[in-house]
Amino acid sequence: MAGGVLVAGIGNLFLGDDGFGPEVVRRMAAPGDLPPRVRVTDYGIRGMHLAYDLLDGYDALVLVDAYPGGGPPGELSLLEIGVKDLGSGEFDAHGMNPVSVLANLDQIGGSLPVTYLVGCTPADVDEGIGLSEAVRAAVPGAVDAVRTLVRRLVSAELAEIVLPAEPRSP
């Protein structure tokens, strides 16, 4: 898909609240909920899959993941992420460290699109299936936040396409 927005659910379903990202994108999978040119995918812990999908040339990436932001469990965060925020990281083709995946995109011929994180402070990331009560309660708000962000990103993309160029002097 050239252009468009990729919404990527990140996390391990077998580590409690780390399954936040996959749960949010699962709830977003209903047909017709999002504008055209928006792809919603549960990447789980498949970092290499995300890296190669980004080579398709998306205009924007929205990561949805557990994010230990320092707030109380269930608190949502929205962060814009740029290349300078990533530093470097050792890439593990069998793991999912989003920072490493994004920091090493250039090594496989890609570049970081406009990137956001919709994160949720986890309560528990120990082995176990299922979200804690606080994180489960935050999922609907995260779905709304991602939808709002995606609509804003798509509107900005369309504005760039349909707005006429500045008139030039003869």
Side-chain angles (χ1 to χ4, degrees):
M1 172 186 290
V5 178
L6 176 60
V7 178
I10 307 297
N12 188 332
L13 296 172
F14 299 107
L15 295 177
D17 289 341
D18 198 43
F20 169 77
E23 178 61 20
V24 170
V25 299
R26 184 187 69 76
R27 291 198 191 181
M28 295 185 69
D33 273 358
L34 295 169
R37 296 173 23 106
V38 175
R39 178 177 169 203
V40 178
T41 302
D42 173 7
Y43 287 95
I45 58 170
R46 298 181 327 263
M48 204 63 188
H49 185 181
L50 172 60
Y52 279 110
D53 280 356
L54 287 171
L55 296 179
D56 288 343
Y58 288 94
D59 294 320
L61 169 64
V62 178
L63 298 169
V64 185
D65 197 3
Y67 170 71
E75 181 176 84
L76 295 174
S77 301
L78 174 63
L79 303 171
E80 185 170 6
I81 300 168
V83 174
K84 292 178 183 175
D85 299 317
L86 300 175
S88 63
E90 186 175 325
F91 187 71
D92 175 7
H94 302 287
M96 173 49 103
N97 177 336
V99 172
S100 294
V101 169
L102 300 177
N104 289 288
L105 274 175
D106 60 335
Q107 293 182 25
I108 60 170
S111 61
L112 185 68
V114 172
T115 301
Y116 290 89
L117 168 70
V118 174
C120 180
T121 305
D124 180 13
V125 290
D126 291 331
E127 285 187 24
I129 298 174
L131 302 176
S132 67
E133 186 177 323
V135 171
R136 185 175 37 256
V139 169
V143 169
D144 291 343
V146 172
R147 284 187 178 135
T148 299
L149 177 59
V150 164
R151 287 186 183 107
R152 191 178 88 211
L153 290 167
V154 168
S155 294
E157 174 186 312
L158 291 174
E160 288 179 21
I161 294 170
V162 298
L163 290 178
E166 290 289 322
R168 296 184 183 180
S169 305

